[in-house]
Amino acid sequence: MKAQTQRGGVAWTLIDPAVSRNFYYITMLRDPVSRYLSEWKHVQRGATWKTALHMCDGRPPTQDELPACYSGEDWTGVPLADFMTCPSNLANNRQVRMLADLSLVGCYNMSSVSELERGRVLLASAKANLRNMAFYGLTEFQRKTQYLFERTFGLRFIRAFTQINSTRAASVGISEKVRWRIEGLNALDVELYEYAKELFLRRYQYNRQKQHQEERLRRWQERQQRQLLHRTYLAQLWRLGGGGGGGGEEEKEEEVKVLQEVATTEDYSSQVVRW
């Protein structure tokens, strides 16, 4: 398993060792406001993405296409108001941009299509790519994410996922006006997240129902197996006793042996059901 991470989301590439380079693309999404605040706090502490090339259609964006939001080495200590003011801040709608095919809108060339059309195309592309991924999870639903991951790949984690809500983003106190501003800057991410949450919960419910059906089928098969053992036992009794007429000491010993074997098997089967 290889992992490639970027702030605000994680993209994992699962490699099956039994198959030559069989890739499964998965990702994690997060509530857009919490994710945006988390990235702001990360940048405020000095984080940069200077080494990121932002390659699209075989080339990185020009300085005019993607101007820097700050001068100097980093943006340490940036106030939230300044962070929100920069129009080229890649924190805006980051989840949609990272999931969408940017070549559909001319990459980072903002003059190729209108802003409205650009947003519509990118959102549709992000939704389609998310829908077609082998798996995705939501940060706000850790246990459900674990359940779907295990069901999807047939794996089991040795520990249960923990829902941690006391994050740096959660510790930031903002007014309703600021929240609305962040939601406006991340309108595409907000719509993507609502779509992702609805689809995620439908998949979770479907898998729960499927699991219940599998368990009912397993219990039915176990009952069928016990009934078969019981019929086999009766048939052997009939052959050894009532059906064969008479019978000597050897037949009685064999009958006792059959009774013991069947009793042991039935007792084990009943224990399986209880477990």
Side-chain angles (χ1 to χ4, degrees), residues 18 26 28 38 71 77 93 95 101 120 197 252 262:
I26 71 175
M28 291 289 295
S38 177
S71 59
N93 293 310
Q95 294 180 111
D101 180 0
R120 185 192 66 80
K197 184 164 64 173
K252 290 181 179 179
V262 173

Side-chain angles (χ1 to χ4, degrees), residues 110-213:
M110 300 300 176
S111 63
S112 59
V113 295
S114 67
E115 183 178 355
L116 185 63
E117 179 65 9
R118 180 183 180 87
R120 185 192 66 80
V121 172
L122 288 179
L123 181 60
S125 176
K127 286 180 178 180
N129 288 335
L130 183 70
R131 187 169 58 248
N132 293 326
M133 278 189 171
F135 166 85
Y136 73 88
L138 301 180
T139 303
E140 286 72 26
F141 296 90
Q142 290 289 327
R143 298 299 294 272
K144 288 182 173 65
T145 292
Q146 177 180 0
Y147 173 80
L148 283 179
F149 185 95
E150 293 176 340
R151 287 282 296 178
T152 300
F153 296 108
L155 302 173
R156 289 292 179 271
F157 291 95
I158 60 175
R159 294 181 182 176
F161 285 14
T162 303
Q163 188 72 50
I164 300 177
N165 296 319
S166 57
T167 62
R168 287 189 175 91
S171 66
V172 178
I174 57 174
S175 65
E176 277 301 306
K177 184 177 179 180
V178 171
R179 174 175 290 276
W180 293 338
R181 176 76 189 285
I182 294 174
E183 289 175 349
L185 291 170
N186 294 273
L188 299 180
D189 271 11
V190 169
E191 188 169 344
L192 174 68
Y193 187 79
E194 288 303 313
Y195 171 82
K197 184 164 64 173
E198 181 181 347
L199 180 60
F200 176 85
L201 293 176
R202 285 208 308 265
R203 289 181 176 180
Y204 174 80
Q205 189 61 35
Y206 169 79
N207 275 275
R208 293 293 296 181
Q209 292 174 352
K210 188 176 179 182
Q211 183 183 26
H212 292 328
Q213 291 172 354

Side-chain angles (χ1 to χ4, degrees), residues 19 50 68 179 191 224 230 256:
V19 181
K50 289 182 178 180
R179 174 175 290 276
E191 188 169 344
Q224 293 294 105
H230 185 63
V256 171

Side-chain angles (χ1 to χ4, degrees), residues 13-271:
T13 304
L14 302 183
I15 304 177
D16 186 347
V19 181
S20 177
R21 311 301 289 179
N22 191 16
F23 292 98
Y24 300 92
Y25 293 99
I26 71 175
T27 192
M28 291 289 295
L29 295 181
R30 187 177 181 182
D31 169 76
V33 174
S34 296
R35 196 217 63 78
Y36 189 85
L37 291 172
S38 177
E39 181 167 346
W40 164 59
K41 296 297 288 184
H42 191 55
V43 170
Q44 196 179 52
R45 295 192 303 272
T48 67
W49 284 267
K50 289 182 178 180
T51 58
L53 298 178
H54 305 295
M55 296 292 290
C56 181
D57 278 351
R59 69 172 182 85
T62 65
Q63 182 64 32
D64 290 336
E65 290 174 336
L66 189 60
C69 288
Y70 57 90
S71 59
E73 290 298 314
D74 54 44
W75 215 1
T76 299
V78 57
L80 180 58
D82 292 350
F83 189 77
M84 293 189 295
T85 301
C86 179
S88 60
N89 191 345
L90 292 181
N92 300 340
N93 293 310
R94 180 178 290 278
Q95 294 180 111
V96 165
R97 191 181 66 258
M98 292 182 70
L99 283 171
D101 180 0
L102 294 181
S103 64
L104 296 174
V105 292
C107 298
Y108 291 91
N109 181 4
M110 300 300 176
S111 63
S112 59
V113 295
S114 67
E115 183 178 355
L116 185 63
E117 179 65 9
R118 180 183 180 87
R120 185 192 66 80
V121 172
L122 288 179
L123 181 60
S125 176
K127 286 180 178 180
N129 288 335
L130 183 70
R131 187 169 58 248
N132 293 326
M133 278 189 171
F135 166 85
Y136 73 88
L138 301 180
T139 303
E140 286 72 26
F141 296 90
Q142 290 289 327
R143 298 299 294 272
K144 288 182 173 65
T145 292
Q146 177 180 0
Y147 173 80
L148 283 179
F149 185 95
E150 293 176 340
R151 287 282 296 178
T152 300
F153 296 108
L155 302 173
R156 289 292 179 271
F157 291 95
I158 60 175
R159 294 181 182 176
F161 285 14
T162 303
Q163 188 72 50
I164 300 177
N165 296 319
S166 57
T167 62
R168 287 189 175 91
S171 66
V172 178
I174 57 174
S175 65
E176 277 301 306
K177 184 177 179 180
V178 171
R179 174 175 290 276
W180 293 338
R181 176 76 189 285
I182 294 174
E183 289 175 349
L185 291 170
N186 294 273
L188 299 180
D189 271 11
V190 169
E191 188 169 344
L192 174 68
Y193 187 79
E194 288 303 313
Y195 171 82
K197 184 164 64 173
E198 181 181 347
L199 180 60
F200 176 85
L201 293 176
R202 285 208 308 265
R203 289 181 176 180
Y204 174 80
Q205 189 61 35
Y206 169 79
N207 275 275
R208 293 293 296 181
Q209 292 174 352
K210 188 176 179 182
Q211 183 183 26
H212 292 328
Q213 291 172 354
E214 291 169 353
E215 290 173 352
R216 286 196 297 269
L217 177 60
R218 177 181 55 81
R219 289 194 296 268
W220 178 82
Q221 290 173 338
E222 290 172 352
R223 287 196 301 271
Q224 293 294 105
Q225 181 65 21
R226 290 197 301 273
Q227 291 172 4
L228 177 60
L229 288 171
H230 185 63
R231 288 195 296 269
T232 302
Y233 160 63
L234 292 178
Q236 289 180 327
L237 280 183
W238 182 86
R239 180 173 59 83
L240 294 172
E249 289 296 326
E250 293 182 359
E251 290 179 341
K252 290 181 179 179
E253 290 178 3
E254 187 174 355
E255 179 180 345
V256 171
K257 183 179 179 181
V258 169
L259 283 169
Q260 291 174 341
E261 290 178 352
V262 173
T264 301
T265 305
E266 289 184 333
D267 180 68
Y268 173 74
S269 299
S270 66
Q271 291 300 318

